Amino acid sequence: EQANYGTAIHSWTDPDARDRLDEVHEEYRPDVEAYWAEFDRLGIRQLDSEIFCANDELKGAGTVDGVYWVPGYGVVMGDKKTGDIKPLEFAIQFATYRFGEVYDWESDQRSPWREDLSADVALVFDIPKGEGELRIHEIDMRWALETARVAADVRNRHQDSRTKLFKKVNDQIAQALVAERERLD
């Protein structure tokens, strides 16, 4: 149910759907209307949407919901969230996107983000189910990048732990036991 809600809200908050708001199911209408009303009230404009990106350093990839122009912030990356608020996960996700490159599936080419995109701040557009409200949260992207690097290091260490940390030692113990018995005899 939550996934269906998220998918519906994402589609109805896409700029292409704005002129069809009368078609929004009544269950979703308060949340969709709140999203657009707050965008209008604050003067936020979406410049681009659904941008796939890849980050080799952090070994991650994904699609960011959009790039927005926001008064007082300039051009920022933003993502719509319709579930639980998970600041740490969002920070790592945003850092992976922002400090990676835009990736075009069709051409298999990468390109840098637009020059005016903030590397300091990104925004989460929190659309809580059934509340008819849009809450906008700021993410400190420098802190997010540091955190993403720590997370990537932990992930890499976890992958290496089978060979570098965790070794089977049955044979070494058996050899030590034989040596100990020989010494006692």
Side-chain angles (χ1 to χ4, degrees):
E1 183 181 333
Q2 184 63 33
N4 290 339
Y5 170 77
T7 300
I9 293 298
H10 270 74
S11 67
W12 288 114
T13 55
D14 187 77
D16 294 337
R18 188 161 188 184
D19 60 348
R20 301 185 341 269
L21 294 181
D22 58 322
E23 299 172 21
V24 176
H25 188 279
E26 65 185 60
E27 177 185 357
Y28 305 134
R29 186 166 286 139
D31 296 337
V32 172
E33 287 176 349
Y35 177 88
W36 288 116
E38 195 66 354
F39 264 49
D40 290 344
R41 184 179 82 81
L42 299 175
I44 299 171
R45 291 191 329 255
Q46 187 165 352
L47 305 175
D48 204 356
S49 64
E50 299 298 318
I51 307 150
F52 189 79
C53 33
N55 186 311
D56 292 332
E57 175 194 355
L58 300 173
K59 294 185 175 113
T63 302
V64 66
D65 289 336
V67 171
Y68 302 82
W69 182 84
V70 180
Y73 286 87
V75 178
V76 297
M77 179 179 290
D79 219 41
K80 303 168 203 168
K81 300 297 184 185
T82 57
D84 293 335
I85 293 298
K86 301 173 182 172
L88 186 61
E89 291 178 24
F90 297 165
I92 292 167
Q93 175 188 18
F94 272 94
T96 300
Y97 296 165
R98 175 59 185 93
F99 297 104
E101 297 173 296
V102 175
Y103 179 77
D104 182 338
W105 285 95
E106 291 178 20
S107 67
D108 191 33
Q109 297 295 308
R110 294 174 186 231
S111 58
W113 284 100
R114 51 186 291 160
E115 288 183 27
D116 59 350
L117 181 64
S118 176
D120 297 319
V121 173
L123 297 177
V124 173
F125 300 109
D126 175 21
I127 310 166
K129 185 177 181 178
E131 294 186 24
E133 183 180 1
L134 172 64
R135 300 175 189 142
I136 304 172
H137 306 279
E138 173 184 298
I139 291 181
D140 176 334
M141 293 302 289
R142 299 302 175 177
W143 188 90
L145 179 59
E146 290 174 25
T147 304
R149 286 179 172 148
V150 169
D153 185 47
V154 169
R155 179 201 57 224
N156 295 341
R157 287 173 184 265
H158 179 72
Q159 291 169 347
D160 291 344
S161 68
R162 289 254 179 229
T163 57
K164 294 183 179 174
L165 175 66
F166 197 70
K167 297 187 285 189
K168 183 179 171 188
V169 293
N170 297 55
D171 293 340
Q172 290 91 327
I173 294 171
Q175 290 171 1
L177 178 61
V178 168
E180 188 68 21
R181 285 183 178 155
E182 287 175 359
R183 187 182 70 74
L184 294 174
D185 287 337

